[in-house]
Each structure stands twice: as C-alpha cells, then as structure tokens.
Amino acid sequence: MFSILFCNFAARMKLSELKTGDHGVIVKVTGHGGFRKRIMEMGFVKGKTVDVLQSAPLQDPVKYKVMGYEVSLRRHEADMIEVTADTSPHHEVLRERRRLNVALVGNPNCGKTSLFNFASGAHAHVGNYSGVTVDATVAKASFYGYEFNLTDLPGTYSLTCYSPEELYVRKHLTENTPDVIINVIDASNLERNLYLTTQLVDMNLPMVCALNMYDEFERRGDSVDLKTLSMLFGMPMVPTSFKSGRGVKELFRAVIQVYEQTQGVSRHIHINYGHEIEKGIAQIQQFLKADEHIRQRYSTRYLAIKLLENDTSATEYVTQHIAEEHRPEDRKQLLAARSQAAARVLEEMNTDAETAIMDAKYGFIKGALAEAGYQTGTATDTYRATHAIDSVLSNKYLGFPIFFLLLYVMFQTTFSLGQYPMDWIEIGVGKLGEWVSDTMPDGPLRSLLVDGVIGGVGSVIVFLPQILILYFFISIMEDSGYMARAAFIMDRLMHRMGLHGKSFIPLIMGFGCNVPAVMATRTIESRRSRLITMMVLPFMSCSARLPIYIMITGTFFSLQYRSWVMMSLYVVGILMAFVVSNILSRFVLRGEDTPFVMELPPYRWPTAKAIGRHTWEKGKEYLKKMGGVILVASIVVWALGYFPHDDSLSTQQQQEQSYIGRLGQAVEPVFSVQGFNWKLDVSLLAGVGAKEIVASTIGVLYSGDDSFADDDTFSSDNEKYTRLRQLMKQEGITPIGAYAYLLFILLYFPCIATIVAIKHETGSWRWATVAAVYTTVVAWVVSAAFYQLAMWMFPA
Ligand code: GDP
Ligand code: MG
C-alpha cells in the first residue's frame, strides 16, 4: 500500500511538463475555486486521461485532448494541473479520483476535532479552550466509497493576519487547495460563527457548512429555515451533532456532491459591500486580473478585498510577485489605486475600509438570518447554565480566592496523594536494586545496573504518580472551560506584567512541562506578548524540577519547613517572571498590544475518557523521556564516574579521580561563589539535557554508598534522606548552599527541548539563544547573591 502510494506521488508532474504525444492522467487541479471550476468544466477532471496534441517550447497555448474533445490551454493554466504520466494501473487512478482532500475550518470550540475524531476514529485531543489544536492534524475517513484525507486546522474567528493560526489556515487553504472545505459552525451561536463563513465565501472555495451543536440549538428552541439559509450563502448547510454523530453521513454526502458539482445549492456568491467599497474593489481588481499568475491562484475579488483592508500578508504577496517580475510601475499603480480607494471609503463612510468591510459582512449575515427566519428560543441552554456558574467563578470578589483555592487544592492533592504510590515505587526500586546486588557477581556490569540504571532512572520514575495527578487536574481545568476563566480573571494582573490574560494558560501549563507550554503560546495573537511569555516561561518551575526540590529539601530541611521551602521556590520563580516581563515590555519589546478576544466557551462536563486520554498522553511523554534521554544520561554519568576504575580506592577517592570528578573540579571555580561542590556542579551540567537528570545524577553520584539498597531507611520520610544529608554535610554543603543550589536549578537554562521549542515557535535561533543565556546569567547572579548575603548574615 505504501509503495503504491509512493509511486503514485513520485510520478506526479505538471500538465505543462508533458511533451507532444505524451499521455497523462489528471490527479489534481489547483488554484482558487472559480479557476478550478472553469478548468473542470472544460473536462480536466481527476482521473481523466489527457493526450498532448501539440506542444512546443515557448508555444502558447498548448492543444490537449480530453474526454474526446480538443481543448487548448495557456501554459500558465496547464501549470496548475497535476498529472501522473503513469497511465497503466487504471484502478489506482480511479482510486485517486475517489480520494478527496478535505479541510476542517471553524471557530475555536465549534467541534472540528470532534468531527475529525468521529469520522476517522482517531484520538486527537478534544479540548474546551482555545489552543489545544495548534497544528494541523491529518487522518483518513471513508464514506460512500470515497476516501477522505481530513485535515483538522486550528480554530480561528477570522482570516485576517493577526495571529499565526489565522495565517496558517489561510496558507493551508491557498497553498494546499483542499478539494472541499467543511466549515464547522456552532449553530447555538450562529451570527458570530457565520463571520468566518463570509470570509471563506470571498475566497471562493468549494465548501460545505456543518451546523454543529444542533442538539443545543434545538434544545434551546431556536429555529431557522435551513434551505433558505443554504441558498443565501450558496452552500449546503447540514445540521450535525458531533457528540452523537448525527448528520455526519449527510455531511460527507454533501461534500461528495459539491466535489462532483451535483449539488444544486452550491454556487459562488458575492457579498455586496455597498457602492463605495465595491467601486474600490473593482478598481484594485482591474490590476490583479491583468496578472495571469495571480488570477489563477487567487480569486481576484478576494485579494482586492484583502488589499483594500490593508492586509499585510496579501500586500506582501502581491508586491513581491510584481517585484519578481520586475514591474515597478505596476506596483506603484496598484498601491496608488489601493490608497485612493481606501481614502475614498474613509471620506464617504467615515470609517476605514477594514471596519466598513466588517460591518458589511455582519450586515449580510443579519440580512440572511432575518430572511431565513432565524429566531432564538428561550429554553434553558448551556449558556444560561454557564452564566450562572460564571456569576460565581468569575465574580469580581470571589473569582480570585476560588482560583487560588483551586490551585492550592491541586498542588496539595498532588503532593499528599502522590506520596503513597511514590513510596511504593521507591520501595520497589530499592528492592530491585538489592536483589540485583545480591544475585550478580561484583563488577562493572553490576555497578552499571544498580548504580547507573536502577539508581538513576529509579530516582526519577518515583515522580510519575505526582506528575499524572498534576496533569489530571490541569486536564479537568482545560476541558471543563475553567482554564479560560482563570485566564480571564488573571487578565488585569497579566497586563501589569506587559502580558495578556491569554498568556496565563501557557504559564500554568509551564508548571507541568515547559515544552507544550511554549507551543501553547501560539494562541496569543500579539507577537510581542507571545515573545515575552516564552521568555519568562522557563521560570515556571516545571515538574521535572520537582524531584530535585523534594530530594534537596528532604535532605537539608526538617519536615515542618519543607513545604515552605518548596513554596518559596515557586514564588521566587513567579516573581522573577514578573520582574523580567516588566523589564522586557518596558525596555526591550516596547509597543502597544493589539487588543484581542478572550473566548469564554460554555462550561461543559469533561468526559472521563477525554480526561484519561489527555492525562495519559502527558504521562506517556514522561515515560518516554525516562526510557530515552534519562536512561542514556544515567548510564553516561555512571560511566564517567566509574572510569578510570581502581578497586583499591574508597568510594570517595574513586569518584574524585574519575572523569566526572575531574570535570566537576574543572568547573568548580565557576560556582565557588555559591558554595557548590563538584558533585552539584556536575549535576547542573547534566541538567542541561533535562532537569530530571539532575536528580538521577545526584542519585548516581551518592549511591556509591549502598544507602539506596538499605531497606529500613525508606520506611520513614524523616530518615530517608539522613544518609544523603550526612554525605553532603561531610562535603561541606550547608542548608544555605543547598538553597542557593535550588535557586540555581529553578532559574537556569530550562532544558534542550524547551530551547528547541522556542526556536521552533519564534522561527529563529535568536530568541532561543537569548532565553538560554539570560536565564543562566540570572540564575548565577541570584544564587550567588543569596549565598553571599546569607553567609554574611548568618556566619556559621
Ligand atoms: P474544536 O476546538 O473546534 O476542535 O472543538 P472540539 O472538537 O474540541 O469541541 C469542543 C467541545 O464541544 C468539546 O467539549 C466537545 O465535546 C463539544 N462538542 C462538540 N460537538 C458537539 C455537539 O454537536 N454538541 C454538543 N453539545 N457539544 C459538542
Ligand atoms: Mg480542535
């Protein structure tokens, strides 16, 4: 199957590349809707054979024979048709004919991912806050003998170029030219959802509308004449509910009909923008129509509207294309026409063109809804319930206390409940090490297994239960819709940090793991807020640092102070984020924020299945890291500590003369201000790979004494770290030094995966490097300042 697919794709070329006498089978027609339609009406349909009757270099047009007719195409046009020269395996081509690329487009939380999962049987994450779908996911589905390649695109309210998601969706629609678009609409919120539809209508793409959440629409007693509405928008509208699967089959039947052009309602409509704007559009369009290249790829009307709106992305595309063809005069004229049109709109209508166009779109929607007899019912709906819940949870006075109470419950439960399975795993790991020590002969292999693999991985794996519990809570907050409220009530505080309420979700996620948190910043529309959020994210103490905190606080502080010490670290992290974001927004990344919507989806009961899946997905990542980078690092750290080996030396002496000892001693001067010893220095170096490795490194470095195999010491939390404390104390580490060490761990270089994620999201190494360097500098300065100050205040 794979090889067939591969051959099929490998043999693809443009129709224009075929020579006289060649044959080809049409695979795909690209370009915007109007262009595609015209070409297809001429007989250039997927799966049909084309013969090249006459084609010579530089000869335009070229003569083709298709479906028994002779047709001539311009070379430009033939460029837009993909063919395969391989005409032999006819069934394969027929299959290609029955394979449709379908893109799902719609507002956030309208049910795209639900449809995607329902139709394909896939398990993409269904969430209830903006920002779960940050990338396109692809899956297959089949209905009525057709195969559908479904693409789940990020949710957007509009197709302007304010957010990376909007640009992403736009790019996908124009560059990947899906055969049909499914526009998913939240029927319980018709007016707002149809706004995006009007923009898609401008783009002139083959489209079907899914009026989703029709169950809620009906429950509330809303009514609309679907037939009329479909006619007015020129596209079939199918009532669906992706919760139950209602209407999915009908939806895909409509997709096939639109594709085969047997759908009666389907037509291209022009939204009338009123006299002044239409005049402007026509003026700009004139220049675009003259350009063959542009005309085929885009609807010139759509581009003209975008230009009139002063859309940067569209302007860039057009001017760049003209520049490539060295037509500076055309560029000047086009831009002049644009400014002239915009100026006239401003003069006549007293608003800028963008607003005027938006108003006209809403006018169109209002008109269409009125004509289709749209009426909202009065029965209770989710929004009513939502309002009631919101009056408490987002209350001016109650909102904050409730939020912090929830956070407190979350962390408290994570640590207290997590303690039980943690103890069990710890005992298991200890027993396993003991058993291996007893059954294997002494030597490097035993040491590798006991001290390297079991000591290293074991000291990290015990935190899996706590991490699962933490993610369980975060998943519930996300899926129920509470996370969006949390962002909402935090908005004011966030603004003081130069951030936006939306930054709050990634920041909270950062307590779990910085990597998905960095990716979640994509939902923040303003680049400036996005950058600042990414830069301060590493200060959100991720769960990978937890093992170190627990280990070191357990070792150096008595029980009644431990949670305070831990809490203080989280607070220091948050304060640093506050300070740094303030500095960045005042001095480095200055500028006004574009205001943007913070969507508040209705509260929904999260399903057990979704929560379980979401929690497990993250836990799985943690386990994967365990089997990969942490296992490897544990072995490397062990090997560096074991070699060169000399049996006659004591454990202490052995470590000092090993490679790791020498490495640690080499960097010791750098951290002498903080009072770290070389073992701590080494653990910091190891933590560059992943923070979990810090704990496992300490585990390996101090497990030379078989305290970890000593079963009795695990029974009580108080005694558990006594051995470790004695060892560290012997080496001259004080509680003050230990706290300085924790501060450094909290603040320095997050981990390679986070830095790579920042590079990926910002598109360059520049900000990634900035994040890597500045966090480390801050960590060094803060920990050194703390150590020196504390030593001066409390001389031992
Ligand atoms: P997306 O953001 O467009 O991908 O939306 P999702 O598929 O993540 O759905 C958002 C929420 O709406 C989830 O909690 C779904 O369970 C819920 N949902 C999806 N379709 C329906 C529907 O037809 N009716 C109802 N009542 N809820 C739905
Ligand atoms: Mg989604």
Side-chain angles (χ1 to χ4, degrees):
M1 173 66 198
F2 252 92
S3 61
I4 295 175
L5 262 179
F6 184 72
C7 295
N8 197 355
F9 283 119
R12 279 183 180 191
M13 48 165 63
K14 289 177 182 170
L15 178 59
S16 56
E17 288 165 356
L18 292 182
K19 311 252 168 339
T20 309
D22 284 352
H23 315 287
V25 176
I26 296 165
V27 177
K28 183 173 185 170
V29 180
T30 58
H32 74 92
F35 172 80
R36 260 192 270 175
K37 195 160 176 211
R38 195 168 60 78
I39 293 286
M40 283 162 82
E41 277 165 0
M42 289 165 91
F44 291 89
V45 181
K46 237 190 221 183
K48 296 286 175 207
T49 312
V50 196
D51 304 324
V52 187
L53 297 179
Q54 223 177 61
S55 160
L58 303 177
Q59 189 185 319
D60 219 0
V62 187
K63 251 167 83 189
Y64 297 99
K65 189 170 171 188
V66 62
M67 292 170 96
Y69 288 98
E70 284 184 21
V71 192
S72 68
L73 283 188
R74 312 289 302 268
R75 205 164 272 278
H76 285 96
E77 294 169 326
D79 269 349
M80 308 291 284
I81 301 173
E82 263 180 41
V83 295
T84 162
D86 178 13
T87 53
S88 48
H90 226 282
H91 59 283
E92 183 52 32
V93 171
L94 272 181
R95 182 134 108 220
E96 184 66 54
R97 192 174 129 63
R98 294 186 154 255
R99 187 179 289 154
L100 304 189
N101 294 317
V102 174
L104 307 183
V105 185
N107 288 186
N109 293 306
C110 63
K112 295 176 299 301
T113 306
S114 301
L115 168 63
F116 182 80
N117 287 344
F118 199 93
S120 67
H123 294 297
H125 176 63
V126 182
N128 196 10
Y129 88 98
S130 76
V132 173
T133 315
V134 281
D135 225 334
T137 344
V138 186
K140 280 192 193 338
S142 48
F143 291 92
Y144 305 106
Y146 280 75
E147 200 178 286
F148 298 89
N149 291 323
L150 298 178
T151 310
D152 185 18
L153 292 168
T156 57
Y157 292 107
S158 156
L159 293 174
T160 43
C161 54
Y162 291 130
S163 79
E165 282 163 331
E166 292 180 358
L167 273 179
Y168 186 92
V169 172
R170 235 163 96 168
K171 226 172 125 186
H172 182 91
L173 295 183
T174 50
E175 285 177 13
N176 295 39
T177 51
D179 293 312
V180 179
I181 292 169
I182 295 182
N183 176 207
V184 183
I185 284 179
D186 176 355
S188 61
N189 206 338
L190 262 184
E191 197 172 340
R192 191 181 76 176
N193 274 254
L194 281 171
Y195 183 68
L196 179 67
T197 312
T198 58
Q199 294 189 319
L200 293 167
V201 163
D202 282 342
M203 287 179 88
N204 189 11
L205 299 164
M207 180 159 59
V208 174
C209 247
L211 289 185
N212 194 35
M213 314 245 176
Y214 210 71
D215 50 333
E216 291 187 12
F217 178 90
E218 283 178 335
R219 187 156 0 110
R220 193 168 57 187
D222 293 2
S223 61
V224 67
D225 177 0
L226 280 181
K227 220 166 162 185
T228 310
L229 198 65
S230 304
M231 292 291 286
L232 292 173
F233 273 87
M235 67 183 77
M237 296 197 171
V238 184
T240 61
S241 167
F242 299 142
K243 233 176 177 171
S244 59
R246 165 184 174 187
V248 171
K249 277 200 167 141
E250 289 79 358
L251 182 67
F252 280 93
R253 187 159 54 218
V255 169
I256 296 168
Q257 286 172 343
V258 165
Y259 176 70
E260 307 263 270
Q261 303 185 6
T262 54
Q263 232 298 342
V265 234
S266 200
R267 70 196 168 105
H268 177 50
I269 57 158
H270 281 188
I271 291 168
N272 190 339
Y273 290 106
H275 182 66
E276 274 317 313
I277 296 174
E278 287 294 339
K279 218 160 99 187
I281 293 172
Q283 235 167 19
I284 300 170
Q285 210 176 353
Q286 222 185 316
F287 291 94
L288 300 174
K289 268 187 175 159
D291 191 307
E292 193 102 30
H293 176 93
I294 290 178
R295 202 174 63 201
Q296 287 157 6
R297 277 168 187 78
Y298 288 89
S299 144
T300 50
R301 181 173 167 87
Y302 164 71
L303 261 192
I305 294 169
K306 282 288 157 201
L307 288 177
L308 188 58
E309 284 177 352
N310 211 357
D311 176 280
T312 38
S313 161
T315 312
E316 221 166 75
Y317 163 72
V318 173
T319 50
Q320 198 175 338
H321 166 68
I322 294 177
E324 269 164 21
E325 295 195 345
H326 307 292
R327 290 152 36 202
E329 204 43 51
D330 286 359
R331 178 166 178 268
K332 224 194 251 156
Q333 281 181 9
L334 175 69
L335 290 180
R338 201 258 311 262
S339 336
Q340 217 177 39
R344 214 185 30 239
V345 169
L346 187 65
E347 203 179 282
E348 302 270 329
M349 308 182 67
N350 216 3
T351 52
D352 60 282
E354 196 181 351
T355 318
I357 288 173
M358 197 169 81
D359 289 345
K361 283 197 159 105
Y362 275 114
F364 177 87
I365 295 168
K366 264 217 161 77
L369 286 177
E371 201 160 332
Y374 176 60
Q375 258 170 348
T376 47
T378 47
T380 340
D381 64 296
T382 20
Y383 279 97
R384 172 91 67 85
T386 292
H387 287 317
I389 302 174
D390 260 346
S391 64
V392 180
L393 292 187
S394 311
N395 181 284
K396 217 158 93 189
Y397 305 103
L398 293 176
F400 267 109
I402 292 177
F403 172 61
F404 283 108
L405 187 75
L406 284 176
L407 274 195
Y408 176 78
V409 169
M410 174 170 102
F411 281 109
Q412 191 57 33
T413 319
T414 301
F415 294 132
S416 56
L417 207 66
Q419 192 62 49
Y420 298 98
M422 190 172 157
D423 286 344
W424 303 331
I425 294 177
E426 213 156 31
I427 291 170
V429 169
K431 282 246 187 330
L432 182 68
E434 206 180 330
W435 179 76
V436 173
S437 302
D438 288 348
T439 42
M440 279 181 72
D442 197 7
L445 192 61
R446 188 179 88 172
S447 174
L448 166 71
L449 277 180
V450 176
D451 301 330
V453 177
I454 299 174
V457 176
S459 56
V460 179
I461 207 164
V462 295
F463 297 99
L464 183 66
Q466 296 195 334
I467 280 157
L468 287 181
I469 296 173
L470 188 68
Y471 278 129
F472 174 76
F473 278 104
I474 292 183
S475 302
I476 290 184
M477 297 215 290
E478 273 175 19
D479 291 11
S480 64
Y482 182 69
M483 197 68 118
R485 267 72 185 186
F488 181 74
I489 55 178
M490 292 301 286
D491 192 47
R492 263 203 24 219
L493 203 74
M494 289 283 139
H495 270 299
R496 268 197 223 151
M497 294 170 70
L499 295 173
H500 185 272
K502 269 193 174 179
S503 307
F504 185 67
I505 295 169
L507 290 179
I508 283 284
M509 286 175 76
F511 288 123
C513 173
N514 283 189
V515 177
V518 167
M519 296 202 294
T521 58
R522 272 190 222 178
T523 49
I524 305 167
E525 277 90 344
S526 126
R527 183 178 156 78
R528 176 173 167 267
S529 288
R530 208 163 60 238
L531 269 179
I532 298 175
T533 310
M534 271 188 255
M535 288 300 113
V536 300
L537 245 177
F539 293 142
M540 296 299 117
S541 186
C542 71
S543 57
R545 291 165 176 134
L546 206 55
I548 318 165
Y549 298 163
I550 295 180
M551 187 182 253
I552 298 292
T553 51
T555 303
F556 283 95
F557 302 95
S558 59
L559 196 57
Q560 70 259 40
Y561 297 126
R562 274 180 213 164
S563 23
W564 289 107
V565 172
M566 292 261 257
M567 197 94 88
S568 74
L569 289 167
Y570 281 89
V571 171
V572 169
I574 293 167
L575 284 180
M576 283 311 297
F578 194 86
V579 170
V580 170
S581 61
N582 255 318
I583 294 175
L584 285 178
S585 67
R586 285 223 182 125
F587 302 107
V588 185
L589 290 157
R590 267 185 303 192
E592 275 300 301
D593 259 341
T594 39
F596 47 88
V597 190
M598 199 143 55
E599 51 277 352
L600 295 172
Y603 287 106
R604 292 198 168 88
W605 277 115
T607 60
K609 216 167 127 190
I611 299 284
R613 207 160 53 210
H614 193 178
T615 307
W616 175 237
E617 266 160 20
K618 291 183 169 133
K620 210 170 62 189
E621 289 304 307
Y622 191 76
L623 281 180
K624 261 196 220 154
K625 245 191 319 191
M626 205 83 56
V629 62
I630 292 171
L631 177 64
V632 173
S634 294
I635 293 174
V636 169
V637 171
W638 167 83
L640 288 175
Y642 192 80
F643 298 109
H645 196 71
D646 186 344
D647 268 332
S648 62
L649 298 176
S650 74
T651 317
Q652 185 73 17
Q653 289 165 325
Q654 162 61 26
Q655 275 186 347
E656 269 165 25
Q657 60 94 42
S658 68
Y659 293 119
I660 209 164
R662 294 175 208 175
L663 188 66
Q665 279 142 20
V667 296
E668 206 165 11
V670 181
F671 297 109
S672 59
V673 203
Q674 281 93 343
F676 302 163
N677 71 0
W678 67 265
K679 285 183 187 175
L680 296 186
D681 300 344
V682 167
S683 70
L684 294 178
L685 289 182
V688 168
K691 286 286 154 305
E692 288 94 339
I693 304 172
V694 177
S696 64
T697 302
I698 293 185
V700 173
L701 284 179
Y702 283 101
S703 75
D705 288 74
D706 48 10
S707 62
F708 276 75
D710 184 6
D711 195 21
D712 285 345
T713 55
F714 289 103
S715 50
S716 135
D717 196 40
N718 253 338
E719 288 167 33
K720 190 162 60 188
Y721 296 109
T722 329
R723 189 87 191 104
L724 192 55
R725 174 165 52 231
Q726 281 170 2
L727 288 171
M728 286 186 153
K729 268 215 171 122
Q730 271 169 24
E731 289 169 6
I733 301 184
T734 58
I736 292 178
Y739 194 76
Y741 175 73
L742 289 178
L743 282 177
F744 194 89
I745 294 279
L746 166 72
L747 301 172
Y748 88 119
F749 187 94
C751 68
I752 289 177
T754 301
I755 295 299
V756 170
I758 294 179
K759 186 252 154 180
H760 194 78
E761 291 304 315
T762 55
S764 80
W765 279 110
R766 198 170 129 228
W767 285 103
T769 316
V770 169
V773 174
Y774 104 84
T775 49
T776 309
V777 171
V778 166
W780 194 91
V781 171
V782 171
S783 59
F786 169 80
Y787 185 77
Q788 292 301 333
L789 205 68
M791 288 306 268
W792 174 70
M793 276 166 37
F794 310 104

